[in-house]
Amino acid sequence: MAKLTVEDLQLEGKKVLMRVDFNVPIKDGVVGDDNRIVAALPTINYVLDHGGRAVLFSHLGRIKSEDDKPGLSMKPVAAKLEERLGKPVQFVPATEGTELETAIDQLENGQVLVFENTRYEDVVNGEYVKRESGNDPKLGEYWASLGDVFVNDAFGTAHRSHASNVGVATAMKANGKQAAAGFLMEKEIKFLGNAVDNPVHPFVAILGGAKVSDKIGVIDHLLNKADKVIVGGGMTYTFYAAKGIKIGNSLVEEDKIDVAKEIMAKAGDKLVLPVDSVEADKFANDADTKVIEGDIDDGYMALDIGPKSVAEFKNVLKDAKTVVWNGPMGVFEMSNFAKGTLEVGEFLGTLTDATTIVGGGDSTAAAKQLGISDKLTHISTGGGASLEYLEGKTLPGIAAISDK
Ligand code: AMP
């Protein structure tokens, strides 16, 4: 079902509630990587340029006690937004009450305010009550009462049912008001949604990372949709164990070996596993290493895919028209085990005829390290949310947006 977007809204003179994802790294009151703030600018600018009065809110970190609050205030985030937006941004140090309500009422067309971290509502009078992250309907109704329309641009939290996304949207709709997707959200729905539900074939998924348990749902769902599912990274060795290949000290989830067997039986030749590995005598960059096919030696652990696997993966990928990549092929944080991930990433950057979609923090970091981000079609901003999308789950934050 197509969702309403910010472009469908009448914004002139409207109080526009905007759920953004400003969950940025923050240390000693200083914002680190401000990518998420920059990513939200197109939607914010669109609202302001169309005469909206923008009321921005986001969660920031986790708040479990009053002590967590001072270090996780949105104040520095609002200052960073002001810098990036090149316009004054008013910060209101409250999540409810007269000060906030008055500030919103006094906004003029084209002006913007940011209110305090929505998760401040998780702790009330010193008690951890999770009003925001438990989606207390009264909180969603209250926030909804502050505006005329709602725009959700926070894809990263779309897999969570919180008051600031699902609660507000639900209450807006109950009051006959609209809840729309911002540009970032729209883009995620378009690319991830199309890749999974309506892919141009051949569709190849590359899944890596440490744990089978985190990705079973994705592997399972994509086996129904994709032409090939390539598995790499630490997950490989649970599959190796299931095949009776020796794994030495490699990462393994003993309790997932049966699941791996089931997946392999179902997948047949759709599932592509590495044929060789870079094995190491310890989990360290200065380990003694060897490239090995099949069985991993006793006393060694496999920390990257080997060159034959890279060549085979490229061969599978070369004709793909849709590619989804989530998770590294090895312990790419250590330079000696980064090759598999970087070579696969680099190859994706050359597939200019294909729709290439990258999700998850590690694959995104690898794409950035390679400088290929602008050669990929789409880099998903939501780790957990994009995984759940790829699992075929309904994301509550998206479901709550008004249908067209
Ligand atoms: P995930 O969060 O499940 O996507 O896993 C990412 C992590 O998997 C990264 O920190 C990698 O270092 C780790 N990883 C990838 N390959 C391996 C491997 N062969 N052995 C151990 N850890 C791995």
Side-chain angles (χ1 to χ4, degrees):
M1 177 74 75
K3 293 290 176 184
L4 207 68
T5 80
V6 65
E7 288 176 301
D8 298 317
L9 302 177
Q10 184 48 257
L11 296 164
E12 177 85 28
K14 297 277 167 60
K15 289 179 273 187
V16 186
L17 301 171
M18 297 181 70
R19 175 54 160 104
V20 286
D21 182 1
F22 284 173
N23 184 31
V24 290
I26 199 149
K27 202 164 174 248
D28 302 327
V30 178
V31 174
D33 183 346
D34 68 350
N35 267 344
R36 285 183 167 159
I37 298 176
V38 173
L41 294 177
T43 311
I44 299 170
N45 276 321
Y46 181 89
V47 168
L48 301 179
D49 291 346
H50 287 78
R53 306 166 179 201
V55 177
L56 269 53
F57 50 101
S58 171
H59 78 284
L60 177 59
R62 288 216 172 128
I63 305 239
K64 293 192 167 166
S65 74
E66 294 289 347
D67 294 345
D68 294 332
K69 288 185 178 178
L72 290 171
S73 168
M74 292 297 284
K75 191 173 180 189
V77 179
K80 182 56 91 176
L81 173 65
E82 179 166 285
E83 191 187 312
R84 290 297 192 176
L85 199 59
K87 280 188 187 144
V89 172
Q90 187 185 352
F91 171 67
V92 181
T95 46
E96 56 183 325
T98 321
E99 184 186 1
L100 176 61
E101 291 155 24
T102 310
I104 294 174
D105 282 342
Q106 288 175 351
L107 275 180
E108 290 177 12
N109 294 4
Q111 289 187 335
V112 53
L113 73 72
V114 173
F115 70 73
E116 191 49 283
N117 185 353
T118 55
R119 288 205 178 148
Y120 271 37
E121 290 284 347
D122 279 351
V123 174
V124 179
N125 298 327
E127 255 187 90
Y128 185 44
V129 290
K130 291 173 75 169
R131 288 193 82 205
E132 151 73 329
S133 20
N135 190 15
D136 176 341
K138 291 234 155 25
L139 185 58
E141 281 161 25
Y142 171 74
W143 281 332
S145 75
L146 301 173
D148 302 311
V149 284
F150 176 52
V151 175
N152 186 353
D153 214 15
F155 178 72
T157 50
H159 58 316
R160 306 271 183 236
S161 193
H162 291 175
S164 62
N165 59 349
V166 173
V168 179
T170 307
M172 293 301 279
K173 290 188 297 182
N175 294 332
K177 298 176 184 172
Q178 293 167 305
F183 293 124
L184 273 180
M185 182 73 97
E186 187 191 6
K187 208 170 155 220
E188 297 278 4
I189 297 172
K190 179 175 154 203
F191 286 114
L192 287 172
N194 267 347
V196 178
D197 299 323
N198 205 10
V200 181
H201 291 272
F203 171 24
V204 180
I206 319 170
L207 302 171
K211 289 189 176 167
V212 180
S213 47
D214 290 344
K215 309 253 162 94
I216 291 169
V218 180
I219 299 174
D220 210 42
H221 189 64
L222 291 184
L223 278 172
N224 297 323
K225 305 277 179 180
D227 301 288
K228 294 278 180 194
V229 176
I230 296 173
V231 165
M235 286 199 285
T236 305
Y237 305 96
T238 300
F239 284 96
Y240 269 26
K243 281 167 85 96
I245 302 175
K246 288 191 185 146
I247 59 165
N249 297 332
S250 306
L251 201 67
V252 65
E253 286 170 279
E254 300 281 353
D255 60 337
K256 293 291 174 284
I257 292 176
D258 283 344
V259 177
K261 282 184 186 159
E262 280 166 32
I263 290 176
M264 287 189 298
K266 176 176 162 186
D269 64 0
K270 256 194 193 182
L271 190 75
V272 183
L273 289 169
V275 288
D276 60 351
S277 309
V278 178
E279 60 171 19
D281 63 348
K282 58 181 177 180
F283 192 81
N285 203 31
D286 64 352
D288 182 30
T289 64
K290 264 193 280 185
V291 171
I292 184 123
E293 277 183 46
D295 291 336
I296 307 301
D297 287 316
D298 285 344
Y300 281 76
M301 58 184 78
L303 296 182
D304 196 9
I305 57 172
K308 282 199 176 162
S309 307
V310 171
E312 196 188 321
F313 290 1
K314 285 185 187 174
N315 195 38
V316 172
L317 286 163
K318 71 179 191 316
D319 300 318
K321 287 283 175 282
T322 308
V323 180
V324 168
W325 177 30
N326 187 300
M329 297 290 103
V331 185
F332 83 112
E333 298 93 333
M334 296 187 215
S335 57
N336 287 335
F337 308 107
K339 209 169 173 201
T341 303
L342 295 180
E343 289 196 357
V344 166
E346 198 165 25
F347 191 70
L348 282 192
T350 68
L351 298 178
T352 42
D353 280 349
T355 300
T356 45
I357 298 166
V358 171
D362 293 326
S363 331
T364 304
K368 275 195 188 147
Q369 194 179 324
L370 287 161
I372 55 155
S373 305
D374 59 353
K375 298 207 175 86
L376 303 167
T377 315
H378 179 62
I379 297 192
S380 177
T381 50
S386 63
L387 270 186
E388 291 202 15
Y389 213 124
L390 297 177
E391 272 181 69
K393 287 189 179 161
T394 300
L395 273 55
I398 296 175
I401 294 169
S402 311
D403 296 324
K404 272 220 198 232

